[in-house]
């Protein structure tokens, strides 16, 4: 009986959060249809009464028991003498008043406390006797019996089994949908513990690769030339292995590479692969080759193909930098888009300097105090090419020059807009008569639509002798094909100038390009590796990269060990520029053997130049915020088609750290302009 009452008390729990008090509208009822001494029923009633006498009366239990008239619970001792008959009252009235149901109940309630006293132990205070005549106990009116449903409160409905089942089902469905939503939004999204450092855009991760997020997982694109077989996936795994080798107590700084790591096609991730390779090479140099006390941890940040998501990438970097104080700056940001400045301002708000690799935007250093560019600007490119253009214009009076540029569309390409501006100014300063500028768009498949603008240029009364192409490297083969086949230009000597984007080409690796015999192509190079001639770097870099090949894989040797920078592994300059940018940022991020903060790194970038890099001496000493930066290295490259092969020749340039301008070579005006220039 004690166990039963304890269970009732536990199940009742009036102060529980499940609202059981509001849910229980009636007490629990036990019905005993016939109890006697023989069947133990009377003993049960006595036990209940005894326990009730010693336990709280709030225990909710009601027992309805039918006791035969011949049975007695125990001798009854009235708690209060029966009331005497009063004058003027009949015996029937007295009997009704004394033994009526209401009077009987009132006496029972009044005697409860007294009946529990030791002196009244013979009574059973918790038992209320209700004598029932035999006629009332017979089922004479059973057909008229009716039952009423117990009123259910809202609390009962809330905690009923069907409701709980529905709530459980809804909770499971909400959890599944929430997990599905998070998995579709974040690269490592789940209901509990989502990694919010990167988001999914068109199925590709944009943001910072932290935790188990991999940006190049399964990317089998390999490096060119002597780097064949070293895949994007292998380089990313090597960086993660270098990071994992840094102990929790080791002094280190964290550098974030920001660039186009993913694309719709693996072939379009080459720029990201080559830049990340340069970052890895310097990380390995500092952490392993020279075993610096301050280690480098590298995080990869992805803005997707053509840096189309550079702003959300910058937000992720800034958010992470506020949590991870070891982040000292960003390397990369090598493509100039309409959103580059906004992204750099977001990084500036997080206190991060940006050491750019190949971004040639002229406006960025003038508008941003945290921008440090290794690339010569678009204006510097045009000024260097001006030396060649002047010689060409002097050979033919009245020669015309035209600008052909790619219009800005969904690709957000601000580089071509800047190139068109400086190209037009350069041709005018060189002495070419201006021809109407032309623009072209990209088709839905991403192909350049050059037929109409080239037809207009070649169909003019005076066909231009010089053409400044403000486009991208992937559009050049189509341009050359159009110039070689369009009447008016076909068979005519035309000089094409273009910016630095052509350095990304791998025409020596078999990419399709056919330059007409009469056309001469000059493009700009941002990494004058032949002028720095740091042969040891390339030999060591090749050795380190060969260590990333799978066991038993065939190793490719450098094409010309005496001039290793001419190998397709390094020739486009992407790797050496990112290597140099990482070196500059790392040198500024430590004071001796002690790591510095991002703010200290930002300040020291303007103080300490770094010599003996593959592009020369890189530094920003003496440069002022919001002003042009000096000392960029560059080269001018002439591309021709000879003997069925594309040939590139570096005709002049200057190493990084030099501020000497290019000048025309001495000699008569009719001298061959393709000998073109030298340093003053």
């Amino acid at each position: 009986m004690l166990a039963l009452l304890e269970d009732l008390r536990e199940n009742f729990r009036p102060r529980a959060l499940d609202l059981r008090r509001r849910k229980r509208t009636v007490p629990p009822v036990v019905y005993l249809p016939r109890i006697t001494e023989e069947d133990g029923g009377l003993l049960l009633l006595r036990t209940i009464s005894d326990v009730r006498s010693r336990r709280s009366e709030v225990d909710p239990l009601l027992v309805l028991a039918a006791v035969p008239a011949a049975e007695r619970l125990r001798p009854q001792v009235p708690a209060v003498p029966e009331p005497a008959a009063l004058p003027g009252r009949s015996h029937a009235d007295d009997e009704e008043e004394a033994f009526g149901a209401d009077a009987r109940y009132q006496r029972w309630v009044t005697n409860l406390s007294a009946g529990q006293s030791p002196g009244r132990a013979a009574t059973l205070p918790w038992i209320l006797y209700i004598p029932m005549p035999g006629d009332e106990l017979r089922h004479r009116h059973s057909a008229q019996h009716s039952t009423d449903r117990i009123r259910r409160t809202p609390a009962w409905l809330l905690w009923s089994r069907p409701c709980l089942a529905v709530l459980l089902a809804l909770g499971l469905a909400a959890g599944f949908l929430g997990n599905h939503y998070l998995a579709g939004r974040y690269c490592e999204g789940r209901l509990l513990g989502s990694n919010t450092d990167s988001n999914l855009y068109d199925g590709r991760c944009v943001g910072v690769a932290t935790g188990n997020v991999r940006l190049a997982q399964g990317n089998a694109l390999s490096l060119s030339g002597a780097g064949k077989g070293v895949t994007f996936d292998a380089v990313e795994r090597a960086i993660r292995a270098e990071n994992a080798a840094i102990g929790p107590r080791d002094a280190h700084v964290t550098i974030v590479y920001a660039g186009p790591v993913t694309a719709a096609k693996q072939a379009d991730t080459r720029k990201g692969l080559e830049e990340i390779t340069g970052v890895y090479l310097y990380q390995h140099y500092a952490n392993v080759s020279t075993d610096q006390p301050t280690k480098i941890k590298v995080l990869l940040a992805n803005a997707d193909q053509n840096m189309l998501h550079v702003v959300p990438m910058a937000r992720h970097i800034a958010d992470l930098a506020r949590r991870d104080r070891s982040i000292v700056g960003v390397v990369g940001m090598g493509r100039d888009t309409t959103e580059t400045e906004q992204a750099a301002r977001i990084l500036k708000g997080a206190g991060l300097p940006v050491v750019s690799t190949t971004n040639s935007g002229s406006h960025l250093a003038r508008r941003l105090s945290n921008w440090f560019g290794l690339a010569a600007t678009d204006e510097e490119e045009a000024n260097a090419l001006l030396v060649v253009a002047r010689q060409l214009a002097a050979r033919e009076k009245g020669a015309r020059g035209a600008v052909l540029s790619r219009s800005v569309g969904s690709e957000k390409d601000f580089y071509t807009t800047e190139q068109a501006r400086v190209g037009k100014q350069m041709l005018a300063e060189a002495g070419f008569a201006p021809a109407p500028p032309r623009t072209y768009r990209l088709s839905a498949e991403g192909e350049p639509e050059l037929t109409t603008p080239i037809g207009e240029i070649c169909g003019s009364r005076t066909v231009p002798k010089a053409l400044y192409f403000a486009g991208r490297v992937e559009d050049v083969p189509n341009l050359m094909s159009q110039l070689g086949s369009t009447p008016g230009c076909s068979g005519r000597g035309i000089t094409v100038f273009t910016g630095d984007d052509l350095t990304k080409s791998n025409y020596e690796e078999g990419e399709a390009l056919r330059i007409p015999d009469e056309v001469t192509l000059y493009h700009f190079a941002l990494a004058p590796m032949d002028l720095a001639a740091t042969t040891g770097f390339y030999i060591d870099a090749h050795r380190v990269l060969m260590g990333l090949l799978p066991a038993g894989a065939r190793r490719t040797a450098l094409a010309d060990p005496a001039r290793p920078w001419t190998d397709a592994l390094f020739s486009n300059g992407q790797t050496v520029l990112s290597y140099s940018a990482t070196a500059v940022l790392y040198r500024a991020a430590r004071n001796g053997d002690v790591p510095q903060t991002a703010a200290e790194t930002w300040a020291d970038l303007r103080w300490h130049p770094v010599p003996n890099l593959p592009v020369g001496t890189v530094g920003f000493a003496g440069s002022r915020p919001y002003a042009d930066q000096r000392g960029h290295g560059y080269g001018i490259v002439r591309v021709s088609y000879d003997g069925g092969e594309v040939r590139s020749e570096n005709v002049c340039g200057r190493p990084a750290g030099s501020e000497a301008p290019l000048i025309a070579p001495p000699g008569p005006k009719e001298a061959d302009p393709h000998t073109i220039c030298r340093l003053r």
Side-chain angles (χ1 to χ4, degrees), residues 157-175:
L157 294 175
L158 178 63
W159 294 101
S160 63
R161 292 177 184 175
C163 183
L164 290 177
V166 171
L167 290 176
L168 179 61
L170 290 176
L172 292 175

Side-chain angles (χ1 to χ4, degrees), residues 383-389 391 522 634-638 650-654 661-666 672-680:
N383 289 335
L385 292 173
L386 178 61
V387 176
V388 182
Q391 298 175 66
Y522 290 98
Y634 54 76
I636 295 178
V637 182
R638 181 176 64 206
N650 297 334
V651 292
C652 66
R654 72 183 189 190
L662 298 180
I663 60 172
D672 182 5
H674 302 316
T675 60
I676 45 177
C677 55
R678 64 180 174 85
L679 280 177
R680 176 178 293 174

Side-chain angles (χ1 to χ4, degrees), residues 132-141:
M132 297 291 292
D135 293 342
E136 295 294 332
L137 296 176
R138 297 185 181 92
H139 299 284
R140 293 176 300 166
H141 310 291

Side-chain angles (χ1 to χ4, degrees), residues 206-230:
V206 171
V208 188
T210 59
N212 295 323
V213 175
R214 291 278 309 278
L215 297 175
Q217 187 171 12
N219 191 334
L221 180 69
S222 69
L223 294 168
S224 303
K228 281 194 177 298
V230 180

Side-chain angles (χ1 to χ4, degrees), residues 172 179 258 260 317 418 426 432 486 503 607 674:
L172 292 175
N179 190 78
I317 297 174
E418 281 287 280
M426 184 272 287
F432 287 102
T486 303
T503 56
W607 286 96
H674 302 316

Side-chain angles (χ1 to χ4, degrees), residues 144-363:
Q144 300 178 9
H145 289 174
S146 63
T147 58
D148 295 327
R149 295 181 60 86
I150 299 175
R151 181 179 60 87
R152 301 301 188 186
T153 64
W156 185 92
L157 294 175
L158 178 63
W159 294 101
S160 63
R161 292 177 184 175
C163 183
L164 290 177
V166 171
L167 290 176
L168 179 61
L170 290 176
L172 292 175
F176 174 80
L177 294 176
N179 190 78
H180 181 73
Y181 169 76
L182 293 173
R185 180 178 182 183
Y186 299 111
C187 303
E188 194 178 11
R190 47 183 175 264
L191 192 60
L192 298 176
S194 290
N195 183 345
T196 60
D197 292 331
S198 54
N199 286 68
L200 286 172
Y201 289 84
D202 298 326
R204 298 188 292 272
C205 288
V206 171
V208 188
T210 59
N212 295 323
V213 175
R214 291 278 309 278
L215 297 175
Q217 187 171 12
N219 191 334
L221 180 69
S222 69
L223 294 168
S224 303
K228 281 194 177 298
V230 180
T231 64
F232 207 153
D233 181 88
V235 176
E236 184 187 32
R237 283 189 282 107
I239 289 176
R240 292 173 66 89
E242 293 281 356
N243 293 342
I246 301 174
R249 301 196 176 194
D250 292 341
H252 72 278
V253 294
T254 301
I255 292 175
V256 179
Y257 166 79
V261 184
T262 60
K265 300 177 182 177
Q266 288 187 356
D268 295 331
T269 62
R270 180 165 298 280
K271 177 178 176 63
L273 166 60
E274 292 174 345
E275 289 194 327
I276 287 175
T277 299
V279 175
Y280 164 69
L281 287 173
Y282 192 82
Q283 182 189 30
H284 185 273
Y285 170 80
N287 292 0
V288 179
S289 299
T290 59
D291 192 19
Q292 296 293 326
T294 299
K295 307 299 183 183
I296 301 178
K297 182 179 289 186
V298 173
L299 296 178
L300 304 184
N302 179 37
D304 202 31
Q305 185 172 356
N306 295 332
M307 304 285 285
L308 292 181
H309 301 296
V310 65
V311 170
M313 177 199 70
R315 291 196 180 103
H316 283 295
I317 297 174
D319 291 342
L320 182 60
R322 294 183 180 100
R323 305 194 312 265
D324 184 356
R325 293 301 180 179
S326 71
I327 296 178
V328 294
V330 175
V331 165
M333 300 285 284
R335 187 180 177 96
D336 192 15
T337 73
T338 55
E339 296 178 340
T340 299
E341 182 178 343
Q342 179 185 355
R345 289 190 183 279
I346 293 172
L347 297 175
K348 178 183 176 183
L352 297 178
V354 178
V355 182
S356 177
T357 51
T358 60
N359 195 320
S360 59
S362 302
H363 61 292

Side-chain angles (χ1 to χ4, degrees), residues 27-47:
V29 177
V30 176
Y31 177 58
L32 304 176
R34 179 179 176 84
I35 60 173
T36 62
E37 290 284 358
E38 289 76 12
D39 62 12
L42 292 177
L43 179 61
L44 174 62
L45 286 183
R46 294 189 186 100
T47 304

